Amino acid sequence: MVDRLRSAAEQLEAPMCPDCHVEMKWFRSELLSDEPTPVIAHLFVCPHCKRASQANTVFRRGQTTPDRLSAPRFISSAA
């Protein structure tokens, strides 16, 4: 999960404050949900007016199909 958080933070662009028109500063990131789809919220604060803003990163899970299906083997105790 730490790797996901780090990669999400690296790809972020800080939003502009709608009041002051300056770049907001990153404040913190937190995990909103892990299942079924991981979502990380990134919180930003304007250094001038202290207005807060949030940007979410939603991770898409890659759906892969296994090469072959497996099942447990049941050993018959009847001999």
Side-chain angles (χ1 to χ4, degrees):
M1 188 40 119
V2 174
D3 291 334
R4 284 185 183 168
L5 180 61
R6 189 174 292 137
S7 69
E10 289 173 356
Q11 298 172 5
L12 279 178
E13 286 189 31
M16 299 297 283
C17 176
D19 294 333
C20 303
H21 305 289
V22 297
E23 187 174 286
M24 300 177 95
K25 301 295 180 192
W26 175 84
F27 178 65
R28 74 174 184 219
S29 296
E30 60 187 42
L31 181 65
L32 291 182
S33 70
D34 192 26
E35 295 294 332
T37 304
V39 178
I40 297 175
H42 307 281
L43 306 172
F44 295 87
V45 176
C46 176
H48 185 323
C49 70
K50 308 300 182 210
R51 182 182 183 128
S53 178
Q54 177 177 326
N56 292 342
T57 300
V58 178
F59 292 93
R60 307 272 185 240
R61 294 210 174 180
Q63 294 193 1
T64 60
T65 55
D67 291 337
R68 62 176 226 218
L69 298 175
S70 62
R73 293 183 186 202
F74 294 102
I75 299 173
S76 174
S77 61

